[in-house]
Structure formats: structure tokens, C-alpha cells
DNA sequence: CGGACTATATATAATAG
DNA sequence: TCTATTATATATAGTCC
């Protein structure tokens, strides 16, 4: 090759390594071109230098992807194809399941009943009656629970109110402030204490409004999947 | 290179072409190995001969796929990645939608009601009552329709039967066969004609049985998707 | 760096066995 | 068809600019 036999072993000097890389890269690309022309071959050559730069040669009228795909096919070690096909399969299954689920919902919503037999209709009816009973029970359970909760809260606030009253009465007994000033403070404090449960009641309204919106949206998810 | 300058131009003699290909292929692979070792480079080399045979060289601790992917990334013309990602995305969305649908079904089945507000429960209850009414109506419609159908069929068979009877009576009047022989044939014919509706009735049973199985499977599709 | 030069080492076309 | 040989053409390491 050059002035004295060279040993095929990593070049430690990084500059020389790069120089050699450039020279030899040009040589190998030239060889690849010659192989293409002389022998009608197709060649895909990808090279990355130790500094990370990439160079390539590809025969005319051919792409790296094309050759790589053929290589995969030939070597039988195609790892992507099965993965891709499995995905496609899963997608299909999911779509089918999705359609089944939608149909069931439509049927439970009183639509799309034409293809059901009498027995199926009877089963569906019974099932729905049983289910509506569950919903009803849950509703009653919820309303009684929340009523209890509010009762407890009100009771709690009343107790606080009463203990405050007592506290102030005790202070009234211990000290003697001017009656009018004290009366003013006292009133406002009562106003706050008794007002609290009402604030709760008002805060309830908007919450219920949004719940109603949710309810209207029931069974009409905005689904637009291909 | 050899004995006399060679011209870089397609070798027309196919045998020589193959010979040259083999030799030069070995040479180029050797160069690729040297590049790898000397310069710390990574090389992916794919070659297809004019006869379709494939050969390769790949640097140790590296794969064609890896280098090809890096090439794609570098060249920015990666066509697979977006496709793959879109699929993954669609898959995820479908799964989410399916879960929502399942949840809706569970709720319409009287399960999973804990997180619903009172208003939502009330809406669901009303919706279900309306729906069960639709199912009930459809059921009544179906039973009346199918009853009519069976009535018509029975009527149809009775008419056939009667017309056959008349026909035989007429024959009986025109000719005079030995009474006993004729009686035998006659009976069997009647048996078939009147039996037909019964065959229908019997065939109905297994059909209804399977329908019942369908009904039992309601809301429990055997879904086991990852 | 990037070429240009050159002395050698290699690759390989042609040829023979 | 292969393999080995051999005469040349090429490739390229080292060097200089």
C-alpha cells in the first residue's frame, strides 16, 4: 500500500486516524462503484467515522431501504414485520371490540333492537330492569348519605355557634365593655357563624350544574377514530 | 490491478462477470474490515450480485438495522417512524375509548356507580327507564309479528292440506283402487302434510336455546386484549 | 486542514493447471 | 469449474507544502 507494510490495527493518533479514514473511505467507495458498474451489482455502503460523521454509497437506481429490506427478507431475521403485523392485528381487534361495545350500548339505550330475537329482548329487558333497580338504590343511598353529611355539618356549625355564644356570655360576665361597641362585634360574628351553612348551600349549585352537563353528555362521547 | 489496464465498464461475459464479482467482493469486504479496525469506523455493506445472491459485511458490535436507522435519522427521510408512532397513538386512543365504553356498560349494568353524583344517577336512571321501555315495546312488536307469521304459516299449511284432501277425494271419485292400499298411502301423506307445522315448532326449540345462550353472554364478551 | 508526491503494498485480470 | 500464479494497475502511508 504505502511506504512500508502497515499493520491492520487501530490507529491511536486521532488525526492520522481521520486522515486514513478519509483516504480509505474514498477508496472503498471507488471500489463499490466499480463493482456496481463492472459486475451489475447493487451495493449499499454506510460508514460512520469515529467522530460520528456518516458517509454512504448506494448503487444508482436503488435505495438503502430497498437493499436493507431485501437483506432482511433474505436473512429471515426481519424483526419489524411481525411487530408491525401484530400491531395491525391488535388494532383490528380493538376496533371490532369497540364496535361490539358500542352496539351493546346502543341496545341498552333502546336502539338497534331489530336483529334481536324475542328471547334476547326478554333477557335484555330483565337485565335492564335489574340494573335500573341498582341505580335507583345507589341513588337513594347517595341522597341519604349526603343528607346525613349536611345534617352533621349543620349540627357541627350550630355547636360551634353555641360554644361561641357561651364564650362571649362568659366574657360578658367577667368584663364590662361599653354595651354598644360589643353588641356590634357580636352581631357580625353571629352573622358569620350562621352564614356558613348557607355558603355551603350556595356552593352546591354550580357543582350540580356541571354534573347535569355530564349527565347530558352520557352516551355521546365525541369519538371520531378512523 | 492486473495484466493490462482494465476499463470500468460492465463485463458482458456473464461467467467472467461473476468471477470478477467474487474477487472484488472479497476485496471490498477486506477493505471494509480494515477501515473498521484501523479507523474505529462502523461499516454496513450490503451487496447483491447480478444473479441475485446477497453478501454483507457489518462491523462487529453493530447491526445493519442500527446503522440504517442512524442513516435515516441523519438523512431525515425516515418514513417508518411516523407511521409506527401514529399506529401506537391510535392504539392507545382505541384502548382508552374501549375502557370508557366498558365503564358505561358497567354503569348501565348497575355496577361501578360509586363515583356518580346524585344528578348523574338520576339522569342514568331516567335514561334507562326510557330505554327499557323501548326494549319492551320492541319485544311486544316482535311477539305480535312472529305470532302473525306463525298463524299465517299454519293457515298456509291447512290450506295445502285441504287442497290435497280435495284432490284425493276427486281422484277417489274418478277411479276406484283397492280401498286398503290407497288408505295406507293416504294416511302417510296426511301425516307429512300436517306434521310440517310441528316440525317447524320443533325446529324452533334449539334456535331459542342458542338465543338464550347469547342472552346469557350479554355484557360479557370474552375480551382479553393487552 | 487539504492536496500533491512517491515508494511500496495490495488487489486483481489474465492465464495456466 | 475451481485454484494457483503472475504481471500489472491501484491504493495508500508517509511525507512535504
Amino acid at each position: 500500500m504505502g511506504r512500508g507494510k502497515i499493520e491492520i490495527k487501530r490507529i491511536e493518533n486521532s488525526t492520522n486516524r481521520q486522515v486514513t479514514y478519509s483516504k480509505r473511505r474514498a477508496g472503498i467507495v471507488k471500489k463499490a462503484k466499480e463493482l456496481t458498474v463492472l459486475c451489475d451489482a447493487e451495493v449499499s455502503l454506510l460508514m460512520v467515522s469515529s467522530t460520528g460523521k456518516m458517509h454512504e454509497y448506494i448503487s444508482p437506481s436503488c435505495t438503502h431501504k430497498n437493499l436493507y429490506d431485501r437483506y432482511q427478507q433474505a436473512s429471515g431475521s426481519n424483526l419489524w414485520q411481525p411487530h408491525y403485523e401484530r400491531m395491525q392485528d391488535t388494532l383490528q381487534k380493538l376496533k371490532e371490540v369497540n364496535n361490539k361495545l358500542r352496539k351493546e350500548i346502543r341496545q341498552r339505550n333502546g336502539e338497534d333492537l331489530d336483529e334481536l330475537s324475542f328471547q334476547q329482548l326478554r333477557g335484555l329487558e330483565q337485565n335492564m330492569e335489574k340494573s335500573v333497580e341498582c341505580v335507583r338504590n345507589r341513588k337513594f343511598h347517595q341522597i341519604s348519605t349526603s343528607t346525613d353529611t349536611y345534617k352533621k355539618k349543620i349540627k357541627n356549625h350550630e355547636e360551634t355557634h353555641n360554644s361561641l355564644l357561651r364564650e362571649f356570655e362568659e366574657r360578658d360576665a367577667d368584663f364590662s365593655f361599653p354595651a354598644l361597641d360589643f353588641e356590634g362585634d357580636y352581631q357580625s360574628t353571629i352573622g358569620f357563624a350562621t352564614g356558613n351553612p348557607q355558603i355551603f348551600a350556595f356552593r352546591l349549585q354550580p357543582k350540580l350544574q356541571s354534573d347535569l352537563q355530564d349527565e347530558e353528555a352520557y352516551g355521546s362521547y365525541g369519538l371520531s377514530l378512523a
Side-chain angles (χ1 to χ4, degrees), chain A:
Chain A
M1 290 178 174
R3 305 198 178 191
K5 178 170 180 168
I6 67 137
E7 176 179 21
I8 303 298
K9 173 183 167 186
R10 182 186 142 97
I11 298 167
E12 294 301 335
N13 179 310
S14 126
T15 306
N16 285 345
R17 199 189 318 135
Q18 277 313 110
V19 172
T20 297
Y21 175 74
S22 295
K23 286 186 177 180
R24 278 173 170 264
R25 171 162 51 75
I28 214 171
V29 166
K30 189 179 172 194
K31 293 269 179 211
K33 279 181 187 169
E34 290 177 354
L35 195 71
T36 299
V37 176
L38 278 172
C39 309
D40 253 4
E42 292 172 295
V43 181
S44 156
L45 176 64
L46 295 175
M47 292 166 292
V48 186
S49 75
S50 58
T51 58
K53 283 211 175 181
M54 177 161 274
H55 296 86
E56 55 159 331
Y57 170 76
I58 180 69
S59 303
S61 74
C62 185
T63 65
H64 290 294
K65 172 162 170 41
N66 181 291
L67 263 179
Y68 176 64
D69 285 349
R70 278 199 269 164
Y71 160 72
Q72 277 193 322
Q73 229 173 2
S75 67
S77 72
N78 193 332
L79 295 166
W80 276 75
Q81 198 85 338
H83 188 199
Y84 178 75
E85 274 168 14
R86 247 189 298 123
M87 263 182 105
Q88 198 102 33
D89 216 54
T90 310
L91 213 77
Q92 199 51 42
K93 276 188 191 153
L94 274 175
K95 278 182 188 171
E96 278 166 24
V97 168
N98 199 286
N99 283 336
K100 272 191 185 171
L101 291 171
R102 275 163 211 261
K103 188 171 189 178
E104 182 168 345
I105 287 178
R106 281 201 307 282
Q107 290 180 338
R108 285 183 170 276
N109 209 10
E111 303 157 33
D112 235 359
L113 299 170
D114 290 7
E115 63 195 69
L116 292 186
S117 71
F118 171 72
Q119 289 290 343
Q120 285 175 314
L121 286 167
R122 212 168 71 93
L124 183 58
E125 183 192 352
Q126 285 172 0
N127 181 304
M128 285 174 77
E129 274 167 353
K130 202 188 72 202
S131 302
V132 88
E133 195 54 36
C134 293
V135 174
R136 211 188 316 278
N137 286 341
R138 173 70 199 171
K139 195 184 71 177
F140 287 136
H141 173 254
Q142 233 221 20
I143 199 169
S144 71
T145 309
S146 65
T147 306
D148 285 355
T149 309
Y150 288 126
K151 271 186 188 163
K152 273 182 194 162
K153 281 195 178 166
I154 288 167
K155 198 173 176 185
N156 197 17
H157 284 291
E158 277 173 355
E159 277 169 11
T160 314
H161 175 201
N162 288 334
S163 72
L164 273 170
L165 267 181
R166 269 196 302 282
E167 203 179 310
F168 278 115
E169 276 166 9
E170 277 165 22
R171 282 196 191 185
D172 207 17
D174 289 355
F175 311 96
S176 54
F177 288 94
L180 260 171
D181 271 26
F182 189 82
E183 197 76 27
D185 277 4
Y186 180 51
Q187 282 294 353
S188 72
T189 312
I190 288 185
F192 181 73
T194 54
N196 234 358
Q198 275 177 7
I199 287 166
F200 253 95
F202 276 114
R203 274 188 52 206
L204 216 59
Q205 278 315 96
K207 181 112 207 311
L208 293 179
Q209 288 283 340
S210 70
D211 286 350
L212 269 166
Q213 285 182 350
D214 282 351
E215 176 204 319
E216 278 185 354
Y218 222 96
S220 65
Y221 298 106
L223 310 169
S224 61
L225 283 145

